[in-house]
Amino acid sequence: MTQSVLCAVDISNGDLDSPVLKKAAALADMDGAQLDVVTVLPDYGESWVSGFFEADHHEKALEQAQAELTELCVATLGAERNASVRHVVATGTAYQEILKTAESAGSDLIVIGAHKPDLKDYLLGPNAARVVRHANVSVYVVR
């Protein structure tokens, strides 16, 4: 029995990850599990890159990402279902942060999209492939 489902979405894709979120919600609902939704921002604070951004850029990006993640969840799942969703905005390398979030949330299942929609091949995207390869729990890949 699944206790917690973690759904990884990329808010920069707009609503293209809606099918991933819907599938994660359906899987969570089947077992009465907690649904957590995570999106990952790149870390602009590392190395020489941080010098090109304002000092409070990261905080503003976090606030905007939180708002966009909540918007995506409400638009996809509805306000009532969204009320019980835990929204997580992480910063760093996507696959590493997804795995860290899954571990810290106690997730039994990770749901992730296969790849960015602009890739025309039949391979998993690099983040999905790494999550599948390194996860300690089951991973459901939505194509």
Side-chain angles (χ1 to χ4, degrees):
M1 183 168 172
T2 304
Q3 300 287 322
S4 174
V5 174
L6 177 66
C7 177
V9 297
D10 182 352
I11 57 171
S12 69
N13 285 341
D15 64 353
L16 293 175
D17 276 341
S18 289
V20 178
L21 185 53
K22 286 179 184 176
K23 179 53 88 173
L27 291 168
D29 291 347
M30 282 192 322
D31 279 346
Q34 171 63 45
L35 176 61
D36 300 324
V37 182
V38 63
T39 193
V40 182
L41 296 177
D43 188 359
Y44 297 111
E46 290 188 7
S47 71
W48 61 276
V49 176
S50 63
F52 291 100
F53 297 95
E54 297 174 10
D56 64 344
H57 174 77
H58 185 70
E59 289 75 23
K60 289 179 182 177
L62 283 173
E63 288 175 20
Q64 182 177 351
Q66 187 71 43
E68 289 179 20
L69 182 60
T70 302
E71 265 181 45
L72 174 65
C73 291
V74 169
T76 303
L77 305 175
E80 185 177 326
R81 178 63 175 99
N82 180 62
S84 63
V85 172
R86 288 189 293 204
H87 306 89
V88 180
V89 178
T91 302
T93 305
Y95 80 93
Q96 290 175 336
E97 293 304 318
I98 292 166
L99 294 172
K100 283 182 194 174
T101 302
E103 186 174 332
S104 66
S107 301
D108 305 299
L109 176 67
I110 300 170
V111 179
I112 191 168
H115 54 71
K116 286 189 176 246
D118 57 345
L119 295 177
K120 300 299 183 201
D121 57 27
Y122 291 96
L123 301 174
L124 286 179
N127 287 314
R130 288 181 179 131
V131 169
V132 168
R133 190 171 33 247
H134 297 289
N136 294 325
V137 297
S138 296
V139 180
Y140 188 103
V141 180
V142 178
R143 291 208 175 263

